[in-house]
Amino acid sequence: MGFVGGTSRLFMFGANSTEVHGLDGFLRTLDRRKDPTRRERGLITGMPAHVLNDEAFSTFFTLGQILPTHRLAHSPLGGLFQPTMIEAVRLMSRQPFTTPYSSPTSAPPVDPSMSSPDITDPFSSPTHHTYTYSTNGIDTFPAPSAYANRQYSWIHIFPEGRVHQHPRKTMRYFKWGVARLILEPDVCPDIVPMWIEGNEQIMHESRTFPRFVPRAGKRCGIWFGENVGGKGDTVFQELRSKWRELVEEDRKKEGGRDFAMGVLSEGLKHGKEAVALREECARQVRGAVLAVRRKRGLPDEDPKQGFVETWREEGGGKREGKMKDGSWVGDI
């Protein structure tokens, strides 16, 4: 991760002109989190996704990610309730997590190939996978949430879940994964919205050969917003209160059964009220990013930009490439 970060910084500030706003406040937030034993909550940062739709470029940045993720566009194992989301919710929390992920009758088989960093876990019994977890029942990955120094972690997200480059710098709707990271942890995380621009010119979707080479000499900017989460009286605290009420109602329906942190019943996955809460939470996060966009000096966008239906219509069933509204879309 250090190599990825260092190389990216060298390119952004050496080969391009990059300005940063609001960094001092964000660095103070990071300074308060240096000691893992004194952290009081997790940290979520998020911004629009402008680049990554290139195999070589994507591979470079995956060297810095810590959680393996399946994408529904490529695998039926993807989606909002995949095992990696359980791990992400736990990284926003603090142990104990009450119960293990599951209680299978036997340990899942381990894939011995080099395609997966499988780890034999000497500390866990065959029925309690505490230090490792599987994304598909075959592979095995270390579970970072099992370690005390990872409590209340920092997770950076791209809530649009797609590369989106619009000539008016508008955003797509935000997907609901971010809502799980806010609603389900034991305390509300700090939430720092960000705005970034210029990167889309470095790796624009319309670029020609050689596509894998980032373009230099571009003007880029990064804006950090204020913390909109945490322990204050915020809209996210209100949404979390409603979520806890839903969890308690569901617990009664389940006969008093308690689920492990990050594990949801069918009612909390697909129930009408649960879905509505996740939609509203994602909408509020998007609104926080829009506030930073507005502070940067960009005009307000059309409110319809935040709805799923808008992008279904604009894309016309097309997943990638140039859309009807002039935007360029690609998979991350």
Side-chain angles (χ1 to χ4, degrees):
M1 291 182 67
F3 170 75
V4 174
T7 304
S8 300
R9 179 177 176 83
L10 179 64
F11 178 77
M12 291 298 297
F13 289 89
N16 298 278
S17 174
T18 302
E19 56 184 83
V20 182
H21 303 267
L23 180 60
D24 290 343
F26 182 64
L27 290 179
R28 285 193 293 271
T29 297
L30 296 184
D31 286 339
R32 292 194 295 268
R33 296 175 48 81
K34 282 184 176 179
D35 183 355
T37 64
R38 301 183 64 180
R39 292 177 191 162
E40 298 179 346
R41 62 195 69 249
L43 170 63
I44 298 174
T45 52
M47 62 185 184
H50 292 316
V51 298
L52 274 183
N53 189 24
D54 179 87
E55 184 174 355
F57 207 55
S58 298
T59 300
F60 171 75
F61 280 105
T62 56
L63 296 175
Q65 78 175 24
I66 61 170
L67 297 177
T69 306
H70 292 281
R71 300 293 303 277
L72 272 178
H74 308 287
S75 169
L77 298 174
L80 190 59
F81 307 111
Q82 60 182 297
T84 290
M85 285 302 302
I86 298 175
E87 189 64 20
V89 170
R90 294 182 177 191
L91 283 169
M92 288 285 101
S93 308
R94 181 174 59 185
Q95 295 188 46
F97 302 131
T98 65
T99 60
Y101 289 94
S102 59
S103 297
T105 56
S106 61
V110 174
D111 180 2
S113 71
M114 294 297 291
S115 61
S116 171
D118 297 306
I119 295 177
T120 300
D121 182 3
F123 303 102
S124 301
S125 72
T127 59
H128 293 78
H129 298 284
T130 305
Y131 291 88
T132 62
Y133 73 105
S134 175
T135 69
N136 58 11
I138 297 177
D139 58 16
T140 307
F141 292 91
S145 66
Y147 302 91
N149 65 351
R150 298 293 181 89
Q151 68 180 15
Y152 296 138
S153 289
W154 170 15
I155 294 181
H156 182 77
I157 59 173
F158 297 96
E160 292 171 290
R162 303 277 288 166
V163 173
H164 178 239
Q165 300 170 345
H166 196 285
R168 293 191 297 275
K169 297 182 172 62
T170 59
M171 296 186 295
R172 289 169 58 89
Y173 70 95
F174 279 16
K175 296 192 174 183
W176 300 345
V178 63
R180 291 201 62 187
L181 299 182
I182 295 171
L183 297 175
E184 297 179 38
D186 53 0
V187 294
C188 183
D190 290 327
I191 306 166
V192 179
M194 299 169 59
W195 180 260
I196 183 170
E197 63 181 59
N199 296 53
E200 72 277 10
Q201 299 304 319
I202 294 175
M203 295 290 282
H204 199 276
E205 288 296 293
S206 64
R207 67 192 183 279
T208 56
F209 180 84
R211 280 185 62 85
F212 65 90
V213 176
R215 277 46 171 177
K218 307 300 181 181
R219 293 186 61 85
C220 303
I222 304 171
W223 286 260
F224 291 90
E226 299 294 327
N227 179 17
V228 296
K231 62 182 179 180
D233 185 15
T234 69
V235 65
F236 297 106
Q237 291 286 10
E238 180 182 344
L239 292 172
R240 281 174 52 85
S241 295
K242 293 179 179 178
W243 176 259
R244 287 194 295 271
E245 292 174 3
L246 275 184
V247 171
E248 185 57 31
E249 292 175 7
D250 185 79
R251 182 176 178 274
K252 293 176 180 178
K253 293 177 183 178
E254 294 285 338
R257 178 185 178 189
D258 288 316
F259 287 87
M261 173 71 72
V263 179
L264 300 178
S265 67
E266 288 302 308
L268 291 177
K269 286 180 180 179
H270 307 297
K272 183 178 179 180
E273 291 178 301
V275 169
L277 269 180
R278 282 192 284 267
E279 287 180 337
E280 177 61 17
C281 188
R283 189 182 71 83
Q284 292 293 340
V285 174
R286 190 177 185 279
V289 176
L290 281 177
V292 183
R293 178 183 181 276
R294 190 178 302 115
K295 185 177 180 180
R296 180 259 177 270
L298 294 173
D300 289 339
E301 62 177 27
D302 189 328
K304 75 173 186 178
Q305 301 288 82
F307 297 108
V308 178
E309 294 75 14
T310 297
W311 299 102
R312 287 176 179 163
E313 179 180 341
E314 297 290 357
K318 188 178 180 182
R319 285 191 53 83
E320 295 185 298
K322 189 174 183 179
M323 301 299 174
K324 295 178 181 179
D325 65 344
S327 65
W328 287 80
V329 177
D331 198 10
I332 291 180

